[in-house]
Amino acid sequence: MPHLSSLRFLFSSSSPFLSPLKPPVSWSLLSKPRPFSLSTVFSSSYKRHRNFRHTPSRRNSTSLRESKSKEKGLSMDETESVAGFNKRRAEGRDKSDKPKTLQLKSRKLNPVNTICYVQILGTGMDTQDTSPSVLLFFDKQRFIFNAGEGLQRFCTEHKIKLSKIDHIFLSRVCSETAGGLPGLLLTLAGMGDEGMSVNIWGPSDLKYLVDAMRFFIPNAAMVHTRSFGPAPDSDGASIPDHGKFTDPIVLIDDEVVKLSAILLRPSCLKGSQLMKEEPDVLNPLEVCAEERRDHFPGPLLLHSPKRNVGPAVKPGDFSVIYVCELPEIKGKFDPAKAVALGLKAGPKYRELQLGKSVMSDRQNIMVHPSDVMGPSSPGPIVLLVDCPTESHSQELLSIQSLSCYYTDSLGNPPESAKTVNCVIHLSPASVISIPNYQKWMKRFGTAQHIMAGHEMKNVEIPILKSSARIAARLNYLCPQFFPAPGFWSLQQLNYSAPDSIASSEGSNLCESISAENLLKFHLRPYAQLGLDRAGIPSLRAPSEILDELLSEIPEIVDAAQQVSKFWHGPRETKQEITAIQDNEVMIEEPWLNVNTLPCCLENITREDMEIVLLGTGSSQPSKYRNVSSIYINLFSKGSLLLDCGEGTLGQLKRRYGVEGADNAVRGLRCIWISHIHADHHTGVARILALRRDLLKGVPHEPLIVIGPRQLKRFLDAYQRLEDLDMQFLDCRHTTEASLDAFEGDLESNNHYSPPGSPVSFENKNINKKNAVGQMTQNVDTTLFAKGSRMQSYWKRSGSPVDNSVVIPILKNLKKVLSEAGLEALISVPVVHCPQAFGVVLKAAERINVVAKVIPGWKIVYSGDTRPCPELIEASRGATVLIHEATFEDGMVEEAIARNHSTTKEAVEVGSSAGAYRIILTHFSQRYPKIPVFDESHMHKTCIAFDMMSINIADLPVLPKVLPYLKLLFRNEMIVDESEDVAVSAT
């Protein structure tokens, strides 16, 4: 029997990375690992973030800040400067909680009364962007198989309790199956007083995923990982005895379930024979608990002598078949039979129920359990099969350890065979349709086959109904800014699949059904064994949502007509008065007509640029808002992503449809990430992996990813697991000062230092005039005026740059931007956490038909930040400023504590910089639908919603829509959506 590698990875405090809830970590702690739990910072900060409540009146920010500072033992100069910010947090030193150790949950199991079923969770997540997840439910335990992006949002929507999850199993280790794992772990760590943890199981290449996650999961997070199978190597490792690893590996064996794993590898690996030292996996029972809490770089291994071994194995080659076997339930004890056999009531009754034979009290006979017990109920068996390629399917047929589950040629199980009740196929349709795979399916006789691998049947039914409902209402009011979602109907896809595919004379397909979201297969009680469709979401037509809207807000009909006139109506209607509600009227404010059109919008076309806000929420995905992501659509010239939180790919597919999103990913020119908090970057790997697959066999350049240097460490570690086909560029190399320092080198191949020659930015001194005629500060600068207490990351020593690496990528970036019609991409240091940035995108100049030079547009995105002079300066004359507005105006002290901005502060940044239009985003969960704002200072501003698409040609109209949006949500209460998350977690 193969052994299992078992350990708990201790994420060292050297990881200067932060959770979606952003507890910062000091860069200075790199050399001092401190072994404490992820929940150390997470749980308390999560609770503080959740428990803020809206107060109608503005509170005294200064006094509250002083009291909070005193509680934390901080002086005012540490928490506040000219702009008002948390210095300790910005520098990564905001840690005041005592260490905690995440504890695994212990359950008291009862096999007799157990309720058990398997349930499909989010097959395809609306749009085929991730692997489906499967829930194995017991009344006292929960197991989840695969945790792709969107799982947490799905669970919140459908109130599936995350805190009850005991184990997560991965059928493969890749972005498709594990993209949602980091966010899920961080959320669990923030629950309750002590935080929660789960066991994570997967093939041995799970170590690469854990190694990568340590670079942004904060403060020595304790993750309980259990890897199994042969240890891979990035250069290819060998299997000493492949037969050994195709035997079932028992992972869990308790009173309610025996769960085993069978490894599946592609058959093409059978060719080579290598001589290599190959480690044996150490039996976890031989490792004491204390050892497993230490720092381990990977699975626990023992070395063995060199020997002849099998074929090479690389990370990602293995997939897993999971076998879930429930124990049989013994029949009911019959006291009448016991009395008839001469037994007296007492301890012997219990012995018989435990399966032991006893001597009769009145007769000289042995009484056996079968004499007094009713017939046993057989234990149901479920298989979860992930066979990702045709090469894997060839191997599937040869796995001998599955033969005990097969029936004979007539479909009858042999005497010793175990009857499989349900097989859930996570394999793609292209593999399932292969004749060999169909032949293998038929070996299970009458088992129910559920096809869960990206079933197109689910495309028409959004699994995120709350978000889809809001999108439909917004689309009715203003289709120009809120296009209809890009769901593809089955008719458009030319796809039709009956609910059940039955084999017939003309077909060799095995009988099966298509998986649907929340479809159940009951395993216990035995009387309910079989499918249950009661929980499957029904298709709600958009017309039903609109009927509900018209009934709720009759005035919305006139409002939609007025909004339409902004594009199609005569100009004389600009001052038209519209009746709204309760004898109130809404008059277009005078300021809506006095804005002077910027020169850059002269002769602009709808094919120049569009801003698509894919995610507008903060911290973690929620029912109504996904986490941060902005898609800059340059149409025929390509596109860029500014931030890329979990679920970004799914949002692209909801916006553009499956094929449209694939085209968008193919056309990406660059991904820019503002900082290392997980809600801003955990969707990157999935996007890069899809782009790699889409462009396979097509000549192309690696995609440029720009981000803080911590992100590079994550991506480099992750690339040992799967190739991401990318080039990385540190944000600090794309600041204005850095680009000035490199300017000469970028113009010529002959004027930069030879390969390997490091250049420290601290030795550069650039005194170039900026746009407003002032002297720029040198590279050794600060975020504020000279002498400010808040020092920029430039002050940190030890930041050498290898020109031979950086300059070629900068040249490539310059080329890519030029092809996209952009003049520059400039990163701007901001005040949030160490190495947090905003970004400026400048379009190239245009020449109109009369040879007039028209300046290019300018977009500025703040990332997460407090208001700061550097961002204001960078936003001078911006066409659009996209600024975070996490908190409402009455919560300034919370904004300062978390280094975020309030609505009013964000607007004031744009007004100070003279930005033409301001878009507010990154709203707290406190405002699930529409945030609180003061209309008196919103004259050039609009509120962002997920999927909002703003064409540059429509910018003059943008603020005019805001009053109508307020009408649309007039009946919505301020609800802290994190309470929904809490409900799904308890």
Side-chain angles (χ1 to χ4, degrees), residues 465-477:
K465 284 194 166 186
S466 300
S467 176
R469 174 179 172 271
I470 294 294
R473 292 162 71 104
L474 288 166
N475 172 254
Y476 176 83
L477 176 65

Side-chain angles (χ1 to χ4, degrees), residues 160-196:
I160 295 169
K161 296 182 178 180
L162 297 173
S163 65
K164 302 296 184 182
I165 299 171
D166 299 277
H167 302 270
I168 297 174
F169 299 88
L170 301 180
S171 63
R172 282 175 289 132
V173 186
C174 61
S175 59
E176 184 183 353
T177 59
L181 194 56
L184 183 59
L185 291 175
L186 291 166
T187 297
L188 290 172
M191 291 177 180
D193 294 332
E194 295 296 328
M196 300 178 184

Side-chain angles (χ1 to χ4, degrees), residues 921-936:
T921 186
H922 197 267
F923 301 113
S924 167
Q925 293 175 3
R926 186 175 294 99
Y927 322 111
K929 296 176 183 176
I930 191 166
V932 176
F933 59 90
D934 181 357
E935 288 184 79
S936 64

Side-chain angles (χ1 to χ4, degrees), residues 794-868:
W794 298 113
K795 282 291 186 182
R796 302 185 185 277
S797 59
S799 300
V801 178
D802 188 342
N803 284 5
S804 65
V805 174
V806 173
I807 290 179
I809 301 177
L810 281 172
K811 288 183 175 182
N812 190 24
L813 175 63
K814 186 175 181 180
K815 171 177 170 287
V816 165
L817 294 176
S818 176
E819 292 172 350
L822 299 177
E823 180 182 289
L825 182 154
I826 301 171
S827 297
V828 182
V830 295
V831 182
H832 181 59
C833 67
Q835 297 199 54
F837 295 86
V839 68
V840 179
L841 290 178
K842 295 180 180 178
E845 295 177 341
R846 295 176 289 121
I847 300 178
N848 66 11
V849 291
V850 295
K852 178 183 175 182
V853 176
I854 301 174
W857 46 261
K858 176 180 176 180
I859 294 177
V860 179
Y861 169 48
S862 70
D864 286 6
T865 185
R866 290 290 296 146
C868 62

